[in-house]
Amino acid sequence: MPFEKVQPEKLAAAVVRQIEKLILRGILRPGERLPSERELSEKLGVSRPSLREAVAELHERGLLESRAGAGIFVTDVLGSAFSEALVRLFANHDEAVFDYLSFRRDMEGLAAQRAAQYGTETDLKVIDELMTKMEAAHGKRNPAEEARLDADFHLAIIEASHNVIMLHMMRSMYQLLREGVFYNRQIMFKQRTTRESLLEQHQAINAALQARDAEAARVAVERHLGYVEAALTADRKAERNELIARQRLEREINR
């Protein structure tokens, strides 16, 4: 019969599996630098040759990359879920913007519900600390910083949901959002009344999560993204009305 003796797992294979899991779970992030060879071998309790063998295999799998004089990094694969042609299509059509928000409302509502149920104390502490930073940025009237922290806050909730497929998919989508593919979040944070509402909405989300109220967390996220959609709809309408007014004025001048 085709049975073979069971062989002990090579140390390099064990290292590969551990680093793969850290990348899969989002603990090692795209673009993040690994510790030095000496430090990493000590942390893992393996020899340098075993570590080099593992790193070489992860290189071949496209998960790690070496940068001359800088070290070894997790490959930056964010945004790879969408082709460049599709990204350009997203950027040029409002339909994609509102479908994106609808998708986020569904996914992030679920993520918030799961985060309240399954998030660790460390997960919730990270979210709470980001909320504190958002409040500080709000007090300084720094829309760029508020917009950045807004993305970090939502991604921290997705990370706390402990669903690896959702995590990597939403990271790709948030990278496009950071690049302004869907809409410019900084514009929203420059408007005083909008800024106040957004802060209150984020505080409501955080409060529900810290209380581990799964249903309240889901509803708070859905209300927040519903507000964002309504604000964008109003902005688009105002832009169209302004364009129509300019066109009418030009026609009157040319008569």
Side-chain angles (χ1 to χ4, degrees):
M1 297 184 68
F3 290 109
E4 297 179 359
K5 289 184 178 180
V6 175
Q7 299 295 327
E9 184 176 39
K10 292 173 60 178
L11 285 176
V15 172
V16 167
R17 283 194 302 106
Q18 184 171 158
I19 293 177
E20 282 182 334
K21 284 183 179 179
L22 292 174
I23 294 173
L24 180 66
R25 294 171 182 170
I27 298 169
L28 281 176
R29 301 182 176 212
E32 185 171 345
R33 182 181 181 276
L34 265 62
S36 67
E37 183 181 275
R38 177 182 175 181
E39 183 181 352
L40 190 54
S41 64
E42 290 176 354
K43 285 179 179 291
L44 294 169
V46 299
S47 66
R48 291 193 185 186
S50 293
L51 177 60
R52 289 172 193 149
E53 184 180 345
V55 168
E57 184 171 342
L58 290 164
H59 267 282
E60 290 180 8
R61 296 186 186 184
L63 294 172
L64 296 181
E65 62 181 2
S66 296
R67 299 179 189 173
I72 299 169
F73 294 79
V74 178
T75 306
D76 189 354
V77 295
L78 286 180
S80 61
F82 307 103
S83 67
E84 290 186 13
L86 190 56
V87 169
R88 288 194 296 271
L89 195 61
F90 287 160
N92 293 325
H93 293 271
D94 280 353
E95 180 182 356
V97 174
F98 293 107
D99 280 353
Y100 164 77
L101 284 170
S102 177
F103 180 80
R104 271 188 64 192
R105 186 165 55 244
D106 292 342
M107 290 296 100
E108 293 189 36
L110 175 60
Q113 186 174 354
R114 287 180 55 88
Q117 293 172 321
Y118 307 121
T120 66
E121 291 304 313
T122 299
D123 290 330
L124 296 183
K125 183 179 179 181
V126 168
I127 292 168
D128 195 48
E129 288 174 350
L130 284 167
M131 185 70 252
T132 300
K133 290 178 181 178
M134 288 180 72
E135 290 168 341
H138 181 83
K140 296 176 183 177
R141 297 183 180 180
N142 187 336
E145 183 69 1
E146 279 189 277
R148 183 186 67 78
L149 289 167
D150 169 70
D152 290 345
F153 179 82
H154 284 276
L155 277 173
I157 294 172
I158 293 165
E159 289 173 354
S161 74
H162 294 282
N163 183 303
V164 296
I165 302 300
M166 184 186 293
L167 170 61
H168 290 281
M169 177 180 64
M170 295 304 292
R171 272 188 178 171
S172 289
M173 297 192 75
Y174 263 92
Q175 184 63 21
L176 298 183
L177 182 63
R178 288 179 191 275
E179 293 168 4
V181 170
F182 293 108
Y183 59 91
N184 190 331
R185 290 172 305 123
Q186 288 191 39
I187 292 176
M188 297 189 71
F189 282 101
K190 285 180 180 178
Q191 301 169 10
R192 184 177 178 277
T193 55
T194 303
R195 288 177 65 243
E196 295 294 336
S197 295
L198 290 173
L199 181 67
E200 290 171 2
Q201 290 159 21
H202 286 113
Q203 288 171 331
I205 294 168
N206 184 52
L209 288 169
Q210 301 305 324
R212 291 195 178 274
D213 188 332
E215 181 62 16
R218 180 186 63 78
V219 170
V221 166
E222 290 176 350
R223 285 177 178 168
H224 164 59
L225 290 169
Y227 176 88
V228 172
E229 183 175 352
L232 281 174
T233 300
D235 285 344
R236 295 292 196 270
K237 184 177 180 180
E239 288 172 2
R240 285 194 296 271
N241 290 340
E242 185 179 345
L243 177 61
I244 291 170
R246 283 203 307 268
Q247 290 173 338
R248 284 176 178 170
L249 180 60
E250 289 173 0
R251 284 197 297 269
E252 291 176 2
I253 292 174
N254 292 329
R255 283 178 181 175

